[in-house]
Every structure is written in C-alpha cells, then in structure tokens.
Amino acid sequence: MTQSVLNAQSVLNPQSELAKLLHEGTVIPAHPLALNADRTLDEVHQRALSRYYFDAGSGGIAVGVHSTQFEIRDHGMYSPILELAAETVDEWNTQNRPFLKVAGVAGTTENAVAEAEIAAELGYHAVLLSPPRPGPEDDLWGRPEEIERYALDRARAVGEVMPVIGFYLQEAIRGPRLSFDFWRQFVGIESVVAVKAAPFNRYRTLDVARAIAESSRRDEVTLYTENDDTIVHDLLSDFTFDVDGDPVTVNIRGGLLGHWSVWTKRAVEMHQQVQRAREGDRGLLFDLMSKANAVTDANGALFDAVNNFAGCIPGVHEILRRQGLMQGRWCLNPREVVSPGQVEELDRVIRSHPWLTDDEFVAEHLDEWLR
C-alpha cells in the first residue's frame, strides 16, 4: 500500500490524530492563489501563504477550492498548485504535528474522480467535493430529483478514491437546492467524513444538521461551516433533534473558509475561545456573541456581499497584499476585480474592528516566510 493511500485512509481511522483533529473541529483556510502582474504563478508568495497558515495555528489548508480560483484547471495549474502547497507544508512541519491537507475537486464525475486521484498521489487527506453545477448541455438542471441522484452517485465514485467532505453551496453562486433526504443519504456514504454547510440559509443548514443527527454515522461525520454571514454564531450553536425519543445534539465544530484565509491568527484564537465558551466560560460566550456581528461585518466587505460576492476573491487578495503576503490583487480572470467602494469598505471595517487583524504577527514573520 502506497504512502499516499495511507495518508487518505488515516482520516477514516477514528483513532488517528488526523481523524481526531477533523472531528474535534479546527480552522481550515481556503488557500488563495498568488500571482505575478502577468498572471503567472508567484511561487515565492504562494509558499509564504502556506507557511503563514501553518504558523498561524490552523489545522490544515484547502487547496484547489474556490479561493484558489477554479480557473487553475483551465490553465493547467491544478496539479502544480496542489503539489506546491503539499510540499511546502510538509517541509515546514518540522514538528510533525497533525495538519490536514484538503483538495478541492469539481466538475463531472469523471473529472472529480481524476482530481481525487491526483490529490491522493500528492498526499492529501480528503477532498472537498464541490456540488454539481449546470453546464451548457446539462439536461439534469431543473429536475431536482435527477440532480440529487447524480450528486450521490458522483460522491460515491469519488469516495472510492478519497475521503469526502460534502459542500452545500449557496444558490447565489449557482449552488443547487438540496433536500433533507439528499443529505440523509449523503452522510450515510461510508467515505464521507464531514460536510461543509454554506447555503447562507438557516433552514437549509438545519437540514444538514438533522441529517447528521438522525444518521447512524453521526459520530463519524463532522459539520463545518462556510456560512460566511454567521461564522461565529454557527460555531456557538447547538442543533438538537428528537431521534427515536432521545435528544441528539450536533455542533458545527470548525470552518473551512475563504474568510479565514486572511487574519488567520485571529481566526485560530477565536476558534479556541469558542471551544472554551462551549466548555462553560459564560463571560467569554457573551463576548463572542458581540464579536460575532463584527466578524459578519468584516466578511461583508471582504466578500463584497453588497455586490452579490462579485469581488470576493480580490477582496481577500487586497488584505493579503497590504500585509505583504501577495504582490497584488490579480486574478486569472482579468475581469475579476474589486468592486467600486469595496476597498473603502475594507478600510471601514478595519477601523471599526482592528482586533480582527493580525498585521503584527505577519510583519514579525514575513521575511522568514518569503525565503
């Protein structure tokens, strides 16, 4: 059995350190793509970002996801970007602490399986499976039951290669509406280890939580958030349901977030505070409930919510540029730029909530990360 296969299987072993890390909950930033002005890969700053996330205390990184730009697939960059991130964190992890490497996989069943095979060979531990999206000749779109059947079959196929993290994507950016019954079947797939809820909708988040609560695999599938409008609220929430006459509670234990690709040191600290609050620190709980709305306010500027998230990736890049972790805001798609007024909104939230930033931490270590 190859080492890459062992890496992937370790997340399925509940006794492994990686499985415990995933299921206890952690901070997993969605890794951005650092580019030069000519839109070629800036390897120096790409490595610096990976080192930053590791040293900030995150429990892993997710590469090849939306924040890494789906266009990397059109530019032949998918495998090189995954390889660079894996190589960088493996070399940087001199203490050999548990650190999750998650690869985003997307597209048709055939393409998602092929990407999962690449991730397995590169030593990744799990894949984040993007939901199916409509194509120009997609006759399934508009028939919810067919979409769900296709999505389940696709997940099973990918799960034969790698452990799977499911992804409930909001409709505003072309995510499909998925039923409670879909999620009930999805979490029953043995290779599913977690679900990332990002429907930006409390009713639909409840569907996922209830599906896990009612599943015989409730102790094997962990709920993560990417509800960017309710990050801290999600982490503090209990979802309790009656299951065969007994109360069963599901918690959102961590996040796999583009938002956490900036100010990551503070995100890690806040996640630790959430864990202490959940253990009974009432004063910290009330403090976090107040700070939760500041996090949402900052996310609105970062992700350009007022413009339906048009500037979400350049908004993240702008913060990283200011800190020296990127040279510029460039995206592979030259039309993907910050929206009018977005930079000013970022200035406003930083003035209003300066405690959210980790500029001093970055400045202290930047030279070492850029070597």
Side-chain angles (χ1 to χ4, degrees), residues 162-357:
M162 287 280 281
V164 172
I165 299 173
F167 184 7
Y168 199 173
L169 179 66
Q170 59 167 313
E171 287 184 89
I173 48 178
R174 296 190 296 145
R177 171 73 171 94
L178 297 166
S179 67
F180 165 75
D181 187 60
F182 168 84
W183 289 110
R184 183 182 60 79
Q185 294 182 69
F186 186 90
V187 300
I189 299 171
E190 289 188 2
S191 56
V192 171
V193 292
V195 176
K196 180 175 83 161
F200 283 40
N201 183 301
R202 301 315 289 166
Y203 302 110
R204 297 176 190 178
T205 299
L206 279 164
D207 281 346
V208 183
R210 182 161 70 96
I212 294 174
E214 295 186 5
S215 173
S216 62
R217 301 190 67 245
R218 69 175 71 99
D219 295 329
E220 302 166 49
V221 180
T222 307
L223 189 54
Y224 274 63
T225 186
E226 197 190 36
N227 284 321
D228 293 306
D229 55 347
T230 59
I231 295 170
V232 181
H233 304 88
D234 272 1
L235 292 169
L236 290 170
S237 294
D238 287 337
F239 298 85
T240 302
F241 308 92
D242 181 280
V243 181
D244 298 326
D246 294 316
V248 173
T249 298
V250 170
N251 303 122
I252 296 177
R253 298 193 175 273
L256 197 167
L257 290 156
H259 180 106
W260 282 350
S261 66
V262 302
W263 305 325
T264 310
K265 181 70 170 175
R266 297 293 171 257
V268 170
E269 292 169 355
M270 184 167 286
H271 185 257
Q272 293 168 346
Q273 290 171 355
V274 166
Q275 291 174 319
R276 295 203 303 274
R278 296 194 62 84
E279 291 167 358
D281 189 328
R282 302 291 292 178
L284 193 54
L285 174 62
F286 288 118
D287 182 55
L288 286 166
M289 288 302 295
S290 174
K291 289 180 175 179
N293 293 314
V295 173
T296 300
D297 187 25
N299 182 268
L302 274 172
F303 277 17
D304 194 26
V306 71
N307 292 300
N308 216 22
F309 310 101
C312 60
I313 292 178
V316 165
H317 289 187
E318 171 62 14
I319 297 300
L320 297 173
R321 181 198 66 79
R322 293 181 186 192
Q323 293 183 314
L325 285 161
M326 279 188 171
Q327 295 189 82
R329 300 190 301 248
W330 309 294
C331 294
L332 289 171
N333 180 352
R335 294 187 298 277
E336 198 160 2
V337 296
V338 292
S339 293
Q342 187 178 1
V343 170
E344 290 75 14
E345 269 294 280
L346 288 169
D347 292 338
R348 178 190 66 79
V349 298
I350 291 170
R351 286 196 305 271
S352 297
H353 319 296
W355 51 270
L356 279 172
T357 70

Side-chain angles (χ1 to χ4, degrees), residues 8 103-117 119-120 126-130 150-165 186 189 191-192:
V105 301
T108 64
T109 300
E110 181 181 11
N111 190 79
V113 167
E115 291 186 351
E117 289 171 345
V127 296
L128 177 68
L129 179 59
S130 291
Y150 173 76
L152 288 167
D153 289 343
R154 178 172 170 262
R156 293 185 186 102
V158 172
E160 291 180 6
V161 181
M162 287 280 281
V164 172
I165 299 173
F186 186 90
I189 299 171
S191 56
V192 171

